[in-house]
Amino acid sequence: MGKSNSYQFLGHLTALFVVMIWGETFVSSKVLLNAGLMPADIFFYRFLLAYALIWFVSYKRLWCRNYTDELTCFALGILGGSLYFLTENMALVYDLASNVAILVSSCPLITAFLLSIFYKNERLNRKQIFGSVFAFLGMVMVVLNGQLILHVNPQGAVLAISAALSWAFYSLLMKRVMHKYSSWFITRKVFFYGLLTILPYYYFVSPLNTDGAILSRPEVYGNLIYLGAVASMFCYMMWNWTLSKLGAVKATNYIYLQSLFTMLFAWIILHERITWMAIAGAVILILGMIRAERK
């Protein structure tokens, strides 16, 4: 196995690990929401912790080599940070979690479409398109988990699709800097600008929850440490590295598996049910993923 193939194989394993962690974050976030934190509070504390921790391994370079790259990182902080989390979490206010999950998980299809427009070498062939659509349908079956009727709220749908577009453009824009700087440096920039651009929300919409009685509870600070150190710092860094090794299309296709891991963790931790429809959807999802990843 050559060096390039080794990196490809490691990239697939890394993408699988990252989406597994991100699939569990819905469960951790649910615990924090039940404890009294708002979605924007969870985002701020997990990104603040991640930003503080990443300085221990990324401290030599402060700025990008030029203003263009710095503006690109600023945009990445919005697209992969503040805007993505706000639109996704606000969608949950207006619509059911299953509806939001389906619409947000359309991200791989949107990413493939955008890349086919801007980058000819990233275009999918027919078999890959078929595999992506097949995986998407399987993901829908997993998310529905036995619910055959889907009622979509227009406001929630617009916000959820906005979240999917935000992450798709994040993957697209990452191609401009991922080969110029280290994954640690880019990830630190994403955290910084994500935190910076969320601040107006606390001034104009809702203030940050700083209630010590809530934050000092073990289940609260424990989940925040997990979300900040593991799901944010390490996973964002690994995801950005994966994008550079697999390309945006192959890497983003793994997001389909996120709903599968969410279902499994919800079953293990929250004792939520799993139906035969979800199991069948999981099989279809995996088969579609295998087809979509083949060139």
Side-chain angles (χ1 to χ4, degrees), residues 200-222:
Y201 176 87
Y202 301 118
Y203 182 81
F204 293 105
V205 182
S206 178
L208 177 67
N209 188 334
T210 57
D211 189 344
I214 295 177
L215 296 174
S216 61
R217 291 162 59 180
E219 67 272 21
V220 172
Y221 67 73

Side-chain angles (χ1 to χ4, degrees), residues 100-112 136 139 160-161 164-165 168 252 255-256:
V100 174
I102 290 172
L103 293 172
V104 170
S105 294
S106 64
C107 174
L109 291 177
I110 297 173
T111 302
F136 178 75
M139 181 277 304
I161 293 173
L165 281 168
T252 310
I255 290 178
Y256 287 132

Side-chain angles (χ1 to χ4, degrees), residues 102 134-147 263 275-282 284-285:
I102 290 172
F134 206 56
F136 178 75
L137 292 175
M139 181 277 304
V140 171
M141 293 175 66
V142 169
V143 173
L144 289 178
N145 198 11
Q147 302 176 41
M263 178 187 69
T275 66
W276 285 106
M277 178 181 179
I279 295 173
I284 294 173
L285 192 162

Side-chain angles (χ1 to χ4, degrees), residues 87-292:
T87 50
E88 181 185 59
N89 291 321
M90 287 175 66
L92 293 171
V93 176
Y94 296 101
D95 212 339
L96 298 174
S98 58
N99 296 354
V100 174
I102 290 172
L103 293 172
V104 170
S105 294
S106 64
C107 174
L109 291 177
I110 297 173
T111 302
F113 175 73
L114 289 174
L115 285 170
S116 67
I117 296 175
F118 294 101
Y119 298 94
K120 292 182 179 181
N121 62 325
E122 291 276 8
R123 287 179 180 175
L124 275 68
N125 57 39
R126 291 183 181 180
K127 290 182 179 180
Q128 288 178 304
I129 294 172
F130 173 78
S132 294
V133 174
F134 206 56
F136 178 75
L137 292 175
M139 181 277 304
V140 171
M141 293 175 66
V142 169
V143 173
L144 289 178
N145 198 11
Q147 302 176 41
L148 298 177
I149 301 176
L150 191 66
H151 299 287
V152 179
N153 180 288
Q155 288 176 293
V158 170
L159 287 166
I161 293 173
S162 297
L165 281 168
S166 179
W167 192 259
F169 276 107
Y170 173 85
S171 301
L172 183 70
L173 200 58
M174 183 63 71
K175 289 178 69 66
R176 297 182 60 179
V177 293
M178 64 187 184
H179 295 300
K180 295 182 179 181
Y181 307 94
S182 70
S183 296
W184 288 111
F185 175 77
I186 296 173
T187 305
R188 196 193 78 213
K189 283 292 183 180
V190 170
F191 292 152
F192 174 74
Y193 285 121
L195 287 168
L196 185 67
T197 53
I198 196 68
L199 294 179
Y201 176 87
Y202 301 118
Y203 182 81
F204 293 105
V205 182
S206 178
L208 177 67
N209 188 334
T210 57
D211 189 344
I214 295 177
L215 296 174
S216 61
R217 291 162 59 180
E219 67 272 21
V220 172
Y221 67 73
N223 277 287
L224 284 175
I225 290 173
Y226 169 75
L227 290 174
V230 181
S232 292
M233 189 186 79
F234 282 110
C235 284
Y236 263 75
M237 186 280 298
M238 288 189 291
W239 185 257
N240 292 339
W241 179 86
T242 302
L243 285 173
S244 68
K245 300 304 176 185
L246 297 184
V249 173
K250 284 188 175 183
T252 310
N253 271 335
Y254 275 92
I255 290 178
Y256 287 132
L257 294 174
Q258 184 171 297
S259 59
L260 175 60
F261 286 119
T262 300
M263 178 187 69
L264 291 175
F265 283 117
W267 173 63
I268 295 170
I269 300 172
L270 302 176
H271 307 293
E272 295 184 1
R273 70 188 184 100
I274 296 178
T275 66
W276 285 106
M277 178 181 179
I279 295 173
V283 174
I284 294 173
L285 192 162
I286 293 171
L287 291 175
M289 276 286 301
I290 294 172
R291 172 57 65 182

Side-chain angles (χ1 to χ4, degrees), residues 15-50:
L16 185 63
F17 174 77
V18 170
V19 297
M20 180 183 70
I21 297 297
W22 283 348
E24 194 282 332
T25 58
F26 286 95
V27 178
S28 292
S29 296
K30 190 170 183 178
V31 173
L32 293 172
L33 290 170
N34 291 338
L37 292 181
M38 297 299 290
D41 302 326
I42 299 171
F43 165 78
F44 180 81
Y45 287 121
R46 67 182 283 186
F47 262 48
L48 181 64
L49 176 60

